[in-house]
Amino acid sequence: MRLRVVGIVVRRVLITGVAGEVGSSLVEYLSRAGGYSITGFDLRKPSKEIEELCSSIAVGDIADATLVSSLGDGLPYDTIFHLAGILSSGGERAPLKAHEVNVSGTLNILELSRKHSTALGRPVKVIFTSTIAVYGVSSISQKRSAGRVREAECLTPITMYGANKLYCESLGRYYSENFGMLEQRNDGVRPDFRAVRFPGLLSAHTLPTGGTSDYAPEMVHAAAQGVSYSCFVRPDSRIPFMMMPDAARALVMLSEADATRLTQRVYNVGGFAPSAREIGVLLSEFFPSTTITYEVHPSRQAIVDSWPEDVDDSAARRDFGWEPLYSFESGFADYLLPAVRARYAASGSEISLYRMAAN
């Protein structure tokens, strides 16, 4: 339901995973834009700053169907940004839990969106964060020959996270296009499911937590602290990345796109695709004393090797005008490094390389 406040239409929005990196960035983006009443949902409360930007906060497990069904307090949401999930490295450490959160949690959100669509009499938009982990290439030679992969290519993921996300994309497509197709009377309104496949994300305001693509931000934080860093992938390892503000923009752009212009339900979005060595070389220009060595972690290297070198995001550019604001160089120079430098200048002390034991 859209609320009207002094002639302004206020859209009701639910953001799952609101305490995470993407969730926090999305709340800040929507708050700056104005016109949104935001409900945040997560296992834990977000920071005080993010909580103050939300109209309400719900705390609980996304896999709890009864709890998720109760969200909204009888007032349906216009849009649900479903960001909650267990990522690739965490999913390999606890694959059954990852399946429960990633798949059952998404099913619960789709059921909520179906119920709210019927109540509103029009589709509720479900904006789903997917990932390059849905892709799987069988060898380095195939990875290099594949180049920039399209949405329908190389869909053989090797991680629980990738398999979960690929299946959830299919679930979303089913709920939007085929749910209830054998019912004699089906007068319910189906939700409008749309998904973004994110590359690795780089944030200026959060510390890396041992994720598979975290070798890039770990390099940045080590260089800013003036400590050496041992990278867990080969220097020639290459996957796509994106700066966090562009990630929030992509989600909002897709949510606001005219449905008649969208030709598919799942979209790649890209930014830039440097090798680990190229990241290190760029950092050395800003931090000449930085020292980066390479000590390959075989399992994590295998995951990175299974992901494409880059993604073809031409469909997103064509259908909803996607274009990143940050390039590789400008993203580091104008967004990432100033904030990371300020973090350590303000602290006056080194922070132990952020939970490296989790690796």
Side-chain angles (χ1 to χ4, degrees), residues 4 20 22 33 47 51 59-60 79 112 121 148 150 152 160 191 257 276 279 298 317 326 330 336 347 351:
R4 291 188 175 272
V22 183
S47 67
E51 185 175 2
V59 177
T79 304
L112 178 70
R148 300 176 71 236
R150 297 179 180 178
M160 177 62 83
I279 296 171
R317 291 172 184 261
Y326 291 106
S330 70
L336 195 60
S347 70
I351 296 178

Side-chain angles (χ1 to χ4, degrees), residues 87-171:
L87 305 181
S88 55
S89 292
E92 293 313 294
R93 296 186 184 100
L96 298 185
K97 182 64 176 178
H99 186 276
E100 178 186 14
V101 170
N102 295 339
V103 175
S104 297
T106 299
L107 187 63
N108 291 340
I109 288 297
L110 289 169
E111 274 293 292
L112 178 70
S113 69
R114 185 176 67 85
K115 181 175 71 174
H116 284 198
S117 295
T118 298
L120 284 172
R122 55 179 170 79
V124 169
K125 295 174 185 175
V126 179
I127 312 302
F128 178 68
T129 51
S130 193
T131 167
I132 59 167
V134 302
Y135 296 114
V137 293
S138 60
S139 65
I140 295 297
S141 61
Q142 186 196 16
K143 175 170 177 158
R144 290 173 180 162
S145 64
R148 300 176 71 236
V149 301
R150 297 179 180 178
E151 287 86 352
E153 298 175 333
C154 304
L155 297 175
T156 53
I158 69 168
T159 63
M160 177 62 83
Y161 177 57
N164 291 164
K165 288 291 189 175
L166 186 59
Y167 174 57
C168 287
E169 291 177 3
S170 293
L171 272 179

Side-chain angles (χ1 to χ4, degrees), residues 198-220:
F198 278 137
L201 299 178
L202 299 172
S203 172
H205 303 294
T206 56
L207 292 169
T209 55
T212 304
S213 63
D214 273 352
Y215 62 86
E218 286 176 5
M219 282 187 192
V220 173

Side-chain angles (χ1 to χ4, degrees), residues 246-270:
D246 275 336
R249 280 183 59 246
L251 290 169
V252 176
M253 288 177 70
L254 181 57
S255 75
E256 294 181 344
D258 187 333
T260 62
R261 296 193 59 184
L262 300 180
T263 60
Q264 53 200 59
R265 297 229 171 250
V266 179
Y267 289 90
N268 285 333
V269 289

Side-chain angles (χ1 to χ4, degrees), residues 270-293:
F272 42 86
S275 68
R277 180 188 289 111
E278 288 165 349
I279 296 171
V281 169
L282 182 63
L283 285 172
S284 68
E285 296 177 9
F286 295 93
F287 305 99
S289 63
T290 188
T291 301
I292 297 173
T293 58

Side-chain angles (χ1 to χ4, degrees), residues 74-86:
L75 293 174
Y77 297 109
D78 294 293
T79 304
I80 300 173
F81 292 93
H82 180 37
L83 319 180
I86 295 179

Side-chain angles (χ1 to χ4, degrees), residues 165-184:
K165 288 291 189 175
L166 186 59
Y167 174 57
C168 287
E169 291 177 3
S170 293
L171 272 179
R173 189 177 294 109
Y174 168 74
Y175 265 79
S176 289
E177 299 175 9
N178 300 114
F179 189 95
M181 59 183 168
L182 293 184
E183 293 181 9
Q184 290 186 349

Side-chain angles (χ1 to χ4, degrees), residues 299-343:
S299 297
R300 299 174 85 186
Q301 180 70 66
I303 294 173
V304 169
D305 285 345
S306 77
W307 295 346
E309 287 195 336
D310 204 353
V311 292
D312 183 334
D313 60 3
S314 57
R317 291 172 184 261
R318 178 194 67 226
D319 289 2
F320 60 93
W322 165 249
E323 186 174 356
L325 293 179
Y326 291 106
S327 67
F328 176 40
E329 293 79 6
S330 70
F332 275 73
D334 301 335
Y335 165 68
L336 195 60
L337 295 181
V340 173
R341 277 174 163 158
R343 170 190 288 271

